[in-house]
């Protein structure tokens, strides 16, 4: 198992940038697919971005593509989400999540049900 702690959330103005961090415990961080999800009040948790075990592949939702960048440093057991050109509709609690590379009949990259380990979340608020 792995424990995850997010940080970096803040209240910002539209057009500003933030970098979220996800610190993972344990010595097997590189064994997990890492993802970022977000959830606004009254909304379902939605996919934001994911990165492969060694960082050589990334995938983004259309709303974040071109503005968001996911990365990881396996030597530091940390994943990141760089968010630029923030919009009010980006306001949400942002969660990092980890997934073991096991079989799934659905799209394991984007479905929150495929991730077994979650952080507590960090609040991002974007004002216009």
């Amino acid at each position: 198992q792995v424990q995850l702690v997010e940080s970096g959330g803040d209240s910002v103005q539209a057009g500003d940038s933030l970098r979220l961090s996800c610190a993972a415990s344990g010595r097997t961080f590189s064994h997990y697919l890492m993802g970022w999800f977000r959830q606004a009040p009254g909304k379902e948790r939605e996919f934001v971005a994911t990165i492969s075990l060694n960082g050589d592949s990334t995938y983004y939702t259309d709303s974040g593509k071109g503005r968001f960048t996911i990365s990881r440093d396996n030597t530091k057991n940390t994943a990141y989400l760089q968010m630029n050109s923030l919009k009010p509709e980006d306001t949400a609690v942002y969660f990092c999540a980890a997934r073991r590379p096991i079989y799934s009949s659905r799209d394991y990259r984007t479905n929150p049900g495929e991730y077994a380990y979650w952080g507590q979340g960090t609040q991002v608020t974007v004002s216009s």
Side-chain angles (χ1 to χ4, degrees), residues 5-126:
V5 179
E6 304 96 336
S7 62
D10 203 356
S11 296
V12 300
Q13 295 292 314
D16 287 351
S17 298
L18 283 174
R19 189 178 78 158
L20 307 182
S21 298
C22 176
S25 67
R27 297 175 292 180
T28 57
F29 177 69
S30 63
H31 293 187
Y32 295 87
L33 178 78
M34 296 300 299
W36 285 96
F37 294 78
R38 66 188 183 187
Q39 187 167 21
K43 304 292 186 180
E44 295 186 13
R45 192 166 299 184
E46 65 176 0
F47 168 77
V48 176
T50 190
I51 187 168
S52 60
L53 274 61
N54 62 3
D56 64 353
S57 181
T58 59
Y59 185 72
Y60 302 89
T61 185
D62 287 342
S63 64
K65 188 175 178 62
R67 300 187 298 124
F68 295 176
T69 302
I70 187 171
S71 62
R72 67 191 297 165
D73 187 340
N74 288 347
T75 67
K76 299 180 179 179
N77 286 0
T78 303
Y80 306 93
L81 183 68
Q82 177 69 43
M83 303 187 293
N84 299 326
S85 301
L86 284 164
K87 305 174 181 179
E89 50 263 44
D90 295 320
T91 295
V93 176
Y94 283 71
F95 299 88
C96 68
R99 184 188 189 277
R100 294 284 301 277
I102 59 176
Y103 170 80
S104 177
S105 61
R106 55 186 175 178
D107 189 347
Y108 62 87
R109 300 172 300 174
T110 63
N111 194 312
E114 292 293 323
Y115 292 76
Y117 307 103
W118 295 84
Q120 295 295 319
T122 185
Q123 177 70 49
V124 172
T125 302
V126 185

